[in-house]
Amino acid sequence: MSKRLLVEKYSENDKKDTPFSNGYVTGVLAYQSYKDYDKAGKKIVKDFISESSKAARAGDQMAKGVMCGVRDAAHERKKNNRPK
């Protein structure tokens, strides 16, 4: 089984119009743009992810998508920053 890249998962979810896929795209974008924000912007993103985490545990599909997008973006960043 081959692992799909973040760009493939993002593209697949971007084409769909479901609560999960919309959340996935939002989660990836929030995670990737975090470093570009000032202190206040970073707090907003952290709060958004925190609230999404709570909502995902309660069963909200969009929030589950956000958390999956954040997770996949973090894994991709970590994979790309490992020493070779």
Side-chain angles (χ1 to χ4, degrees), residues 23-55:
Y24 187 91
V25 169
T26 303
V28 170
L29 294 175
Y31 185 87
Q32 290 179 335
S33 61
Y34 176 82
K35 67 184 177 306
D36 300 329
Y37 292 122
D38 61 2
K39 190 174 181 179
K42 287 181 179 182
K43 181 176 179 353
I44 291 169
V45 173
K46 283 181 183 180
D47 291 345
F48 171 70
I49 292 172
S50 178
E51 290 302 314
S52 294
S53 177
K54 292 174 189 173

Side-chain angles (χ1 to χ4, degrees), residues 7-78:
V7 69
E8 294 169 332
K9 292 179 184 180
Y10 179 89
S11 178
E12 179 182 313
N13 281 290
D14 195 32
K15 292 175 187 171
K16 297 178 184 176
D17 189 23
T18 66
F20 180 88
S21 63
N22 291 331
Y24 187 91
V25 169
T26 303
V28 170
L29 294 175
Y31 185 87
Q32 290 179 335
S33 61
Y34 176 82
K35 67 184 177 306
D36 300 329
Y37 292 122
D38 61 2
K39 190 174 181 179
K42 287 181 179 182
K43 181 176 179 353
I44 291 169
V45 173
K46 283 181 183 180
D47 291 345
F48 171 70
I49 292 172
S50 178
E51 290 302 314
S52 294
S53 177
K54 292 174 189 173
R57 280 188 244 123
D60 183 88
Q61 289 300 307
M62 184 167 182
K64 286 182 180 184
V66 169
M67 297 312 296
C68 287
V70 168
R71 178 203 61 212
D72 289 349
H75 285 212
E76 185 85 0
R77 180 188 60 79
K78 289 175 187 175

